[in-house]
Amino acid sequence: MFGFIKDKLSKIYTSFTSKLAGIFKKETIDADTLKDLESLLISADMGVKSTKYIINKLNQDVQSGKIKKGEDLKNALENLLIEQLHDKNLDTKEFNVFVLVGINGSGKTTFASKLANLYTDKKILFIAGDTFRAAAVEQLNEWAKRLNVDIEMGKENQDPASVIFAGCERFKKSHYDILIIDTAGRLQTKVNLMKELEKVKKVIVRQLPENKICTLLTIDSMLGQNSLEQAKLFNESTQLDGIVLTKMDGTGKAGIAFAIVQELNIPIAFICFGEEVDKIKKFDAKEYVEQLLSE
């Protein structure tokens, strides 16, 4: 399922997976080996907290004799990584309203189309809530035409909350199955953006009290630790249900998934790669880790 990690993420494989393979071939594991592994995990943006936890656990197993050679280390590391990601799972099937947040350029509007494509048997409504950026509205409208999805649009620079209010009313009155709301990704300052998102979220919750609302943050996987800082800011303003890692066909650092889950307690919902609507996968911890560690 996640074979694209090898097929498309060549730079990740060269700088991370291939070096891991060298460690896993060692006949004996000592403190220096664990230091090398620690440096490698941090270089992949796995985060200090997550990395320290993993290395401490592995060191305990080395000391107790459970880990003697590289193969043992690989198996133990695989189990620890899967365990970390499995602690947090998100079943998006439980929701019918999706609020998409993220900075401009993170792949938010493109993700809206990919998400809609997963519900081809449903009656879907888009809301173009990024009224501050005409290109975003035009892009979502183009996707709506291609996917035969209805869309609620306002005027340029119209108050996003008013457009979203109208869209929520339409969603209820016309009995749509799925609602996908694209929001603004940039205002004059971070404070203005976060306040706008707080306002928008309140409107949605008030208008759709009977619906299950899922707020997803799109993150450009190429940004590494900067993505973690973004997630912290957005989560403070609008409680996030899940993360979408986009642009995984670029030079992203695969470890950021672990840092986000461990440090922010937020699950990874989807991984996206490429522009086409079918280039999306529901995140599966076991498959992700197995592909990451395989030669």
Side-chain angles (χ1 to χ4, degrees), residues 109 128-143 151-156 182:
T109 306
D130 190 358
T131 58
F132 303 114
R133 195 164 66 96
V137 176
E138 293 171 3
Q139 183 184 5
L140 192 62
N141 188 36
E142 182 59 34
W143 279 119
I151 184 170
E152 180 72 26
M153 298 183 293
K155 298 178 181 179
E156 188 173 350
D182 191 15

Side-chain angles (χ1 to χ4, degrees), residues 98-205:
F98 296 91
V99 183
L100 311 185
V101 301
I103 64 170
N104 286 352
S106 63
K108 178 161 44 70
T109 306
T110 301
F111 170 67
S113 67
K114 295 181 179 185
L115 182 60
N117 195 55
L118 296 178
Y119 295 96
T120 53
D121 59 334
K122 304 291 185 180
K123 185 179 179 182
I124 304 169
L125 176 66
F126 280 150
I127 299 181
D130 190 358
T131 58
F132 303 114
R133 195 164 66 96
V137 176
E138 293 171 3
Q139 183 184 5
L140 192 62
N141 188 36
E142 182 59 34
W143 279 119
K145 292 176 182 176
R146 292 186 200 178
L147 298 170
N148 195 28
V149 169
D150 291 335
I151 184 170
E152 180 72 26
M153 298 183 293
K155 298 178 181 179
E156 188 173 350
N157 292 320
Q158 181 178 341
D159 177 17
S162 66
V163 178
I164 290 171
F165 178 91
C168 288
E169 286 293 298
R170 180 177 173 183
F171 174 73
K172 291 185 291 185
K173 291 178 180 178
S174 298
H175 304 291
Y176 286 91
D177 300 310
I178 301 291
L179 178 62
I180 300 174
I181 305 171
D182 191 15
T183 64
R186 181 181 180 184
L187 291 177
Q188 291 86 345
T189 67
K190 289 180 182 176
V191 174
N192 286 346
L193 173 58
M194 298 308 161
K195 285 185 177 178
E196 183 62 46
L197 289 176
E198 289 175 12
K199 179 181 176 182
V200 161
K201 190 71 174 285
K202 287 179 181 177
V203 168
I204 298 168
V205 171

